[in-house]
Amino acid sequence: MKSILKQLYDGWVFPQEQMKPILDEYKKRQTSILIEERELFAKLDILDKDLKMEVDNLIGQFFDLVPDEIAEVFAEGFSYGVRFMIEALYIHRASE
């Protein structure tokens, strides 16, 4: 079995792209939000098409930020993991 670090280095591990929600609560909320979004757009289509376009643009901008936010969270978590490993493997041994 190939090392996970080697796979990550070689570009075979894509944490952000491979993320799949596993929590039922997350899936339920996501489905609910998508239904509400469709209902809102149906109402806006009838009431004000220009406002519909503005809302769609605003939502699009928000979703454009989501991958960056996930990447930031991953980077921070990875950094903590590295620091934990350094402390566990090297600093702990040095103090023995």
Side-chain angles (χ1 to χ4, degrees):
M1 176 184 236
K2 199 173 197 182
S3 142
I4 189 68
L5 292 176
K6 178 76 170 132
Q7 290 179 30
L8 183 63
Y9 179 78
D10 290 342
W12 291 105
V13 177
F14 309 97
Q16 181 179 349
E17 288 86 358
Q18 294 170 337
M19 186 187 99
K20 294 177 185 160
I22 58 171
L23 300 176
D24 288 336
E25 184 61 31
Y26 178 89
K27 292 177 188 177
K28 288 176 189 174
R29 288 184 64 198
Q30 182 183 39
T31 301
S32 174
I33 289 169
L34 291 173
I35 291 169
E36 289 180 38
E37 180 186 29
R38 277 190 229 122
E39 291 172 356
L40 174 64
F41 278 111
K43 291 175 186 175
L44 287 172
D45 199 32
I46 294 168
L47 297 174
D48 189 339
K49 290 186 189 287
D50 290 333
L51 183 58
K52 177 184 174 184
M53 289 174 45
E54 286 181 44
V55 171
D56 189 37
N57 183 38
L58 183 63
I59 290 172
Q61 289 178 40
F62 172 75
F63 281 118
D64 286 345
L65 286 176
V66 171
D68 294 334
E69 181 180 0
I70 292 171
E72 287 289 325
V73 169
F74 170 77
E76 185 176 348
F78 190 84
S79 176
Y80 279 121
V82 169
R83 290 168 51 200
F84 289 142
M85 293 303 295
I86 290 170
E87 184 173 333
L89 295 174
Y90 298 105
I91 296 173
H92 178 69
R93 288 184 184 166
S95 66
E96 289 181 348

